[in-house]
Amino acid sequence: MSRLIALTSCLAVLLVGCSNDIDAVCDMRKQCIDADLDTGKCADKISAWEEERESEKENRQARTTECSQCVVDRTCAEVVASCIDDCFGIP
């Protein structure tokens, strides 16, 4: 049942265009930081953080997008060297 809810949530986020950004951030974390990371839980955590405060929602989504754009097609070393500022503070 919880997988169905998670799948539905991911589908809803995908339809608004944010899921790819969140997925990129979580995939980078799994690849570069924690090979055992549950990317589904990571995505849920970032989505919840983005939605946590309505007044900060757009800013937080923009921060996730900036981080995602920075990490795409970079090696882990490049991410560490180039993306810390863009990704810092995203749960």
Side-chain angles (χ1 to χ4, degrees), residues 5-86:
I5 293 169
L7 180 59
T8 304
S9 297
C10 288
L11 181 58
V13 172
L14 179 61
L15 292 175
V16 296
C18 298
S19 180
N20 290 337
D21 294 332
I22 293 171
D23 290 344
V25 172
C26 293
D27 289 345
M28 174 275 298
R29 288 179 179 171
K30 183 173 180 98
Q31 179 182 356
C32 299
I33 299 169
D34 180 4
D36 295 326
L37 179 74
D38 181 328
T39 55
K41 287 182 181 179
C42 173
D44 290 344
K45 191 174 187 178
I46 293 173
S47 292
W49 171 76
E50 287 181 345
E51 301 287 330
E52 183 177 50
R53 293 190 179 126
E54 185 65 34
S55 63
E56 296 179 28
K57 183 177 177 178
E58 287 182 27
N59 180 47
R60 289 180 177 193
Q61 288 174 337
R63 289 180 57 206
T64 302
T65 299
E66 288 172 14
C67 177
S68 170
Q69 290 172 349
C70 187
V71 302
V72 170
D73 296 327
R74 291 188 187 231
T75 66
C76 293
E78 291 171 331
V79 167
V80 170
S82 302
C83 302
I84 295 298
D85 290 341
D86 291 330

